[in-house]
Amino acid sequence: MSDGPKKIINKITKGFAKHGYICSDQISTAVYLASELEKPILIEGPPGVGKTELANTAAMYFKKELIRLQCYEGLDESKALYEWRYGKQLLYTQILKEQMQEVLEGAKGLRESLGRLMKFEDIFFSEDFLETRPLLQALTSDKGSVLLIDEVDKSDEEFEALLLEILSEFQISIPELGVRVAKVKPLVMLTSNNSREIGDALKRRCLHLYIPFPDAKLERQIVQARVPEISESMQIQLVNFVQGIRELDLKKQPAISETIDWAKTLILLNSEELEAKLAEETLNILLKHQQDIEVVKKEIPALISSATETSDGKSIN
Amino acid sequence: MEKVLTDFVKALRNSNVRVSPAETLDAMSVIDEVGYDDRDLLKRSLSIVLPKTPDEKQKFDTCFDDFFSDEIKEQVPVTLKELNDIEDVKSDLAKTLLEGSQAELMISIADAAEASEIREIRYFTQRSVFSRRILEKMGVGKLEDELMQIGSLREEDIPTDLEQELRNQLTGLRERVSDYVQQQFLLHGDVSGEQLREQVFKSMNMSQIDRSYMHEVHSLVRRMAKKLANLHSRRKKNYRRGKLDIRKTIRENWANQGVLFNLSWSYKKVDRPKIYVICDVSGSVGAYARFMLMFLFSLTEVVSKLRAFVFSSNLGEVTDEFKDSNLDAAIETALQKHGGGSTDYGQALTDFVSLCIDEIDKKTTVVILGDARNNFGPEKAHLMKIINERSKQVFWLNPEGKYRWDSGDSVMTTYSAYCTKVFQCGNIEQLERVISTLLKTAI
């Protein structure tokens, strides 16, 4: 016991911040536990709250290679686990036929031929013809890796079942070769947007982290880290404005990535203050549905006045 | 310390967070990492291991706060200095209160609780009953009598120190016991009351369930429908076209000296049930109509190839409305457009046949929800015959009890002759059974 868990968690928070990822205590606790207990984390949350980014940052923080597997419907083991190099395998059978003559030359009787044939090395199913895919790569990596299985909810249920062995035992069974166990256990992160309910079996094997939209304080820190050139008053107004929008009834709430994009846009347009006209013109960066834009447009004056009001209050304090 | 965790897991399960034994083990190793010292850290860490949905996380939060609330309150320390009057105190409880240690008191509470069968506590309304029982078992009655006596003996209006002290102690004890009961309730009771409600809903006749509970019933029905649909919609057939499955092909042709002779295809067809549902929403099934529509709505949510029709006399399709809007709106529109009129099965069948008889094939299941009360109108049973002949199967779900079929204007027997199967479907349990049969055979 060199460091208490609290210290390590703080270290993770700071280390992540250095790589530009501002995280809440909840997130850093999850990363800490995942690396200590060597368990995969299932990360859920609305789109754009930085689920994928978390894995990227974790890879940078732990100085490990990031191996990413993007899931989609129809993803199967030949794309995720391993594949045989069929072309070469077929060529091998051709060569084998020619070689056969040499091997069997001078053999007397069937028994002897058979004996020679048995001694002959068979490499049809061997590492030589094995093409590794992301999951197997993550297991065979010598230095350990961060394995990101992105949007696991997009894949089929069969694929989920395929993951179970890897997630609980960190091993893959290849029928032709036997079980491949991880040299160094990778840090596994799965993300999901909840477009489909993830099975209980998978959930049970994972730690579960839910990343919600950040509160105003955290979001301000994130904007500050990602868009450092923004002025403080602008940053406060902007975040308050976005937080206000999230309280409206919208089809798709603006996420952190959208807030950052918007902040960058406003910097590009050289604006110092959040004005109604400007906000209205650039609203399409924040919102992706025309209906949402219509809803928010009506609320702009109120949102801006409350955003600037609270920012004034803050600056007095 | 492990007992604390297992108790907490038990409390979590009671508030409807599903925790498996494996997860409990995980939680244990988490506690080995972080320890019990830091409450915030413990909460954050456990919330990563135990609850696995946002909904469960919320329940976890409240449950954690309740369970690890700052321990049970300490008994008010005895302030009375000279305990020379203590000889006068007669009842045992008073003696324990004045002389006994905290631990002794705790043990006697626990004993009394055990004796009053606190494990049997189920509902939050029982808390006060159990508190009172425990206090009685501890001998509060005697103490109170004694207090009365002391009160009646004194000359002045001001209570003596001893009396005052005893009263303070008694109030403290009451609080302690009620805290204790609250904790036990978290452990043993049905904290959210959900289990009870679901149980009741399941066996209650659908027309009897109050409309205000509709959403809870809906979530129940939906969960059921989803589970069943998942279970039955994954039958696959290998097809002789699409993408070549190279791995399998080579594997199978390895014996032919690597000449690809037999081809295997990777494309698999998922069979999903194709279901047509016709729902009666006329006046005679008024009480049931909402629940039948709810059932219909839940089905459209989980089965993709489903078309929904409703009728009183004239039949109309509501598939799109159901797919696009939420439950309340969907049911309201369906009832407004088609509901409440007098029933005419003959007309409805005519409409149905003219609307989509061509689409009904041997893979289609037709489900009719209704009481078959036809107002003595023309039955047009020959249309049922046509539907039956063209489709794979026809199911009829009747919300009325079997004893009422064919009574009055009900023509159930006439129609049931052309049905593959007829079910009585008055409560949710029956509904569950029906859906299961339906999805199993509809493929």
Side-chain angles (χ1 to χ4, degrees):
Chain A
M1 282 294 275
S2 55
D3 274 343
K6 238 186 162 172
K7 261 195 184 153
I8 306 177
I9 291 172
N10 278 338
K11 228 162 105 189
I12 292 176
T13 315
K14 276 191 200 129
F16 274 34
K18 235 179 255 166
H19 292 290
Y21 190 90
I22 310 293
C23 57
S24 63
D25 285 348
Q26 186 73 60
I27 296 177
S28 39
T29 310
V31 173
Y32 162 73
L33 286 176
S35 67
E36 279 308 303
L37 303 176
E38 299 184 320
K39 281 198 139 256
I41 327 180
L42 172 65
I43 309 165
E44 288 189 305
V49 289
K51 296 187 292 287
T52 310
E53 200 52 37
L54 176 62
N56 282 330
T57 317
M60 280 192 269
Y61 176 77
F62 291 110
K63 298 203 178 59
K64 284 178 179 171
E65 180 196 4
L66 179 79
I67 297 173
R68 182 173 172 166
L69 174 69
Q70 173 71 47
C71 296
Y72 51 87
E73 213 177 304
L75 177 68
D76 58 9
E77 52 177 357
S78 65
K79 283 164 200 138
L81 274 177
Y82 63 93
E83 179 78 302
W84 296 103
R85 293 176 182 158
Y86 303 113
K88 290 208 174 128
Q89 272 180 329
L90 287 178
L91 282 175
Y92 170 72
T93 60
Q94 300 299 322
I95 299 168
L96 206 61
K97 256 189 264 174
E98 287 161 22
Q99 295 272 311
M100 209 47 81
Q101 206 66 43
E102 274 173 44
V103 174
L104 298 180
E105 208 164 59
K108 282 172 197 148
L110 198 62
R111 191 164 290 276
E112 200 185 330
S113 312
L114 207 66
R116 283 198 198 175
L117 199 64
M118 283 303 175
K119 270 183 226 154
F120 190 74
E121 193 190 12
D122 183 18
I123 55 163
F124 189 79
F125 287 119
S126 70
E127 301 271 356
D128 300 318
F129 292 120
L130 197 66
E131 180 94 61
T132 54
R133 300 281 189 212
L135 294 182
L136 191 58
Q137 253 172 46
L139 292 192
T140 48
S141 159
D142 289 320
K143 290 180 206 139
S145 56
V146 174
L147 171 64
L148 167 65
I149 303 174
D150 215 359
E151 307 194 29
V152 72
D153 53 328
K154 300 272 193 310
S155 67
D156 306 318
E157 271 160 58
E158 291 83 4
F159 180 71
E160 221 176 81
L162 196 81
L163 284 176
L164 296 180
E165 190 187 5
I166 300 167
L167 295 184
S168 56
E169 310 291 334
F170 291 101
Q171 65 177 42
I172 292 175
S173 314
I174 303 173
E176 296 87 349
L177 295 178
V179 180
R180 286 283 180 272
V181 187
K183 291 175 186 160
V184 183
K185 285 184 183 172
L187 176 65
V188 185
M189 293 185 167
L190 302 101
T191 73
S192 154
N193 280 331
N194 238 344
S195 67
R196 160 174 85 77
E197 192 72 29
I198 304 289
D200 283 340
L202 184 71
K203 276 192 171 171
R204 200 170 56 66
R205 283 168 174 79
C206 301
L207 303 176
H208 184 270
L209 172 68
Y210 182 77
I211 309 184
F213 287 124
D215 57 11
K217 192 172 149 235
L218 191 65
E219 189 161 26
R220 240 176 271 144
Q221 284 175 342
I222 296 170
V223 172
Q224 189 63 51
R226 282 304 168 98
V227 196
E229 57 275 28
I230 196 167
S231 72
E232 200 187 328
S233 68
M234 183 66 179
Q235 175 222 82
I236 292 174
Q237 285 174 24
L238 180 110
V239 170
N240 286 341
F241 187 82
V242 175
Q243 294 268 340
I245 288 184
R246 287 206 191 110
E247 269 158 38
L248 301 172
D249 180 26
L250 298 179
K251 253 179 145 169
K252 190 194 168 301
Q253 308 275 358
I256 307 172
S257 53
E258 270 114 24
T259 316
I260 293 170
D261 286 347
W262 199 39
K264 282 182 183 158
T265 314
L266 293 181
I267 294 277
L268 205 67
L269 295 173
N270 272 332
S271 48
E272 291 290 318
E273 283 286 310
L274 198 58
E275 290 157 23
K277 191 163 168 289
L278 187 72
E280 196 179 320
E281 281 165 358
T282 53
L283 213 52
N284 54 345
I285 293 167
L286 218 46
L287 300 163
K288 305 288 157 80
H289 288 278
Q290 192 54 39
Q291 284 156 288
D292 288 353
I293 294 178
E294 299 295 327
V295 172
V296 174
K297 248 183 202 167
K298 282 180 223 146
E299 303 289 331
I300 282 181
L303 281 169
I304 285 196
S305 72
S306 75
T308 43
E309 212 171 85
T310 38
S311 81
D312 286 348
K314 281 269 158 55
S315 53
I316 291 164
N317 292 333
Chain B
M1 279 322 244
E2 274 158 23
K3 173 111 181 21
V4 180
L5 181 69
T6 44
D7 276 354
F8 178 56
V9 167
K10 200 163 170 225
L12 273 180
R13 288 195 185 128
N14 274 334
S15 32
N16 253 339
V17 179
R18 285 171 53 183
V19 183
S20 70
E23 281 161 337
T24 314
L25 288 177
D26 285 349
M28 247 168 222
S29 45
V30 162
I31 289 176
D32 283 345
E33 279 311 319
V34 300
Y36 279 103
D37 309 333
D38 189 329
R39 190 168 179 274
D40 268 352
L41 180 63
L42 181 67
K43 184 173 175 185
R44 254 186 286 139
S45 308
L46 287 181
S47 86
I48 289 166
V49 204
L50 294 172
K52 301 272 161 103
T53 61
D55 189 35
E56 283 183 352
K57 295 228 177 214
Q58 245 174 21
K59 284 177 190 159
F60 170 87
D61 277 352
T62 33
C63 192
F64 186 93
D65 291 341
D66 281 352
F67 190 84
F68 291 103
S69 64
D70 302 318
E71 281 306 299
I72 294 179
K73 284 181 206 81
E74 293 272 294
Q75 180 74 9
V76 209
V78 181
T79 48
L80 204 60
K81 293 236 173 58
E82 342 87 70
L83 286 172
N84 42 12
D85 304 336
I86 197 128
E87 307 304 317
D88 305 339
V89 177
K90 281 183 206 82
S91 70
D92 293 339
L93 179 61
K95 276 188 187 140
T96 333
L97 281 176
L98 291 179
E99 288 181 319
S101 67
Q102 296 285 339
E104 268 175 69
L105 193 64
M106 202 56 232
I107 289 167
S108 73
I109 292 179
D111 284 347
E114 198 65 38
S116 27
E117 290 170 335
I118 186 96
R119 278 167 208 285
E120 298 300 309
I121 188 165
R122 284 290 170 273
Y123 313 116
F124 72 96
T125 42
Q126 291 173 311
R127 279 177 310 184
S128 57
V129 180
F130 274 98
S131 304
R132 211 175 55 228
R133 262 193 227 165
I134 292 173
L135 285 170
E136 268 166 27
K137 284 253 158 46
M138 292 180 75
V140 166
K142 275 190 195 158
L143 179 62
E144 273 170 350
D145 288 348
E146 200 175 349
L147 273 173
M148 289 269 281
Q149 247 177 12
I150 297 174
S152 64
L153 283 177
R154 66 158 184 246
E155 286 129 33
E156 306 148 50
D157 270 349
I158 310 149
T160 63
D161 286 351
L162 178 69
E163 192 189 346
Q164 190 56 48
E165 182 61 42
L166 274 177
R167 280 197 193 285
N168 284 348
Q169 291 291 333
L170 188 59
T171 332
L173 181 70
R174 279 185 207 282
E175 275 173 25
R176 259 185 103 157
V177 168
S178 99
D179 282 355
Y180 183 81
V181 170
Q182 170 66 22
Q183 256 199 353
Q184 293 299 313
F185 168 63
L186 286 179
L187 279 178
H188 302 292
D190 172 18
V191 176
S192 56
E194 237 164 272
Q195 288 159 18
L196 171 73
R197 271 210 303 274
E198 284 189 5
Q199 229 173 351
V200 172
F201 284 151
K202 270 193 171 178
S203 52
M204 208 162 155
N205 192 311
M206 277 193 263
S207 62
Q208 309 286 316
I209 300 175
D210 195 81
R211 262 173 65 179
S212 54
Y213 288 121
M214 194 126 135
H215 274 274
E216 277 141 43
V217 177
H218 177 229
S219 74
L220 188 74
V221 172
R222 183 165 54 186
R223 226 175 326 135
M224 204 167 70
K226 207 171 174 179
K227 198 168 87 190
L228 293 166
N230 274 342
L231 211 64
H232 300 301
S233 68
R234 304 208 60 79
R235 291 199 189 164
K236 290 188 166 185
K237 261 196 250 168
N238 253 325
Y239 252 65
R240 302 210 131 266
R241 59 194 168 91
K243 227 176 92 195
L244 195 67
D245 186 345
I246 304 176
R247 177 182 294 194
K248 218 172 158 195
T249 308
I250 290 195
R251 195 7 96 66
E252 279 172 6
N253 291 287
W254 177 223
N256 311 332
Q257 292 191 327
V259 178
L260 306 183
F261 190 68
N262 286 321
L263 302 183
S264 308
W265 304 94
S266 63
Y267 181 73
K268 289 195 180 96
K269 193 185 172 195
V270 181
D271 265 333
R272 296 218 161 83
K274 186 173 163 192
I275 304 179
Y276 284 63
V277 187
I278 308 169
C279 182
D280 182 357
V281 289
S282 62
S284 61
V285 285
Y288 294 101
R290 278 178 179 279
F291 287 97
M292 298 223 254
L293 284 171
M294 188 169 76
F295 166 52
L296 194 55
F297 186 83
S298 306
L299 267 182
T300 43
E301 279 177 314
V302 294
V303 183
S304 53
K305 273 188 193 165
L306 183 136
R307 288 180 67 180
F309 304 87
V310 294
F311 72 94
S312 289
S313 53
N314 288 36
L315 180 115
E317 181 164 1
V318 289
T319 316
D320 293 338
E321 278 105 323
F322 273 31
K323 288 231 156 108
D324 294 340
S325 53
N326 62 11
L327 174 75
D328 284 332
I331 291 184
E332 279 325 312
T333 21
L335 283 178
Q336 247 172 36
K337 269 192 190 164
H338 307 279
S342 65
T343 329
D344 186 346
Y345 275 83
Q347 183 57 41
L349 288 173
T350 317
D351 287 348
F352 181 71
V353 167
S354 67
L355 208 61
C356 52
I357 193 70
D358 293 338
E359 291 166 40
I360 294 177
D361 52 25
K362 278 289 169 206
K363 285 180 198 155
T364 316
T365 300
V366 178
V367 181
I368 301 172
L369 299 163
D371 58 357
R373 295 198 175 274
N374 203 20
N375 281 328
F376 306 105
E379 292 152 7
K380 303 206 181 161
H382 64 280
L383 292 173
M384 273 302 283
K385 190 171 174 232
I386 297 176
I387 296 172
N388 182 27
E389 276 164 0
R390 291 193 62 112
S391 65
K392 183 181 177 199
Q393 52 197 349
V394 180
F395 290 129
W396 194 297
L397 313 188
N398 194 329
E400 288 186 342
K402 267 191 183 142
Y403 62 94
R404 295 191 59 195
W405 295 1
D406 290 325
S407 67
D409 58 348
S410 169
V411 285
M412 198 58 216
T413 319
T414 323
Y415 287 136
S416 66
Y418 302 106
C419 294
T420 322
K421 213 158 186 184
V422 180
F423 299 93
Q424 183 199 333
C425 177
N427 62 35
I428 294 173
E429 252 171 333
Q430 286 170 342
L431 186 63
E432 190 168 8
R433 224 171 299 148
V434 173
I435 304 182
S436 181
T437 328
L438 187 72
L439 291 169
K440 237 184 267 170
T441 49
I443 299 165

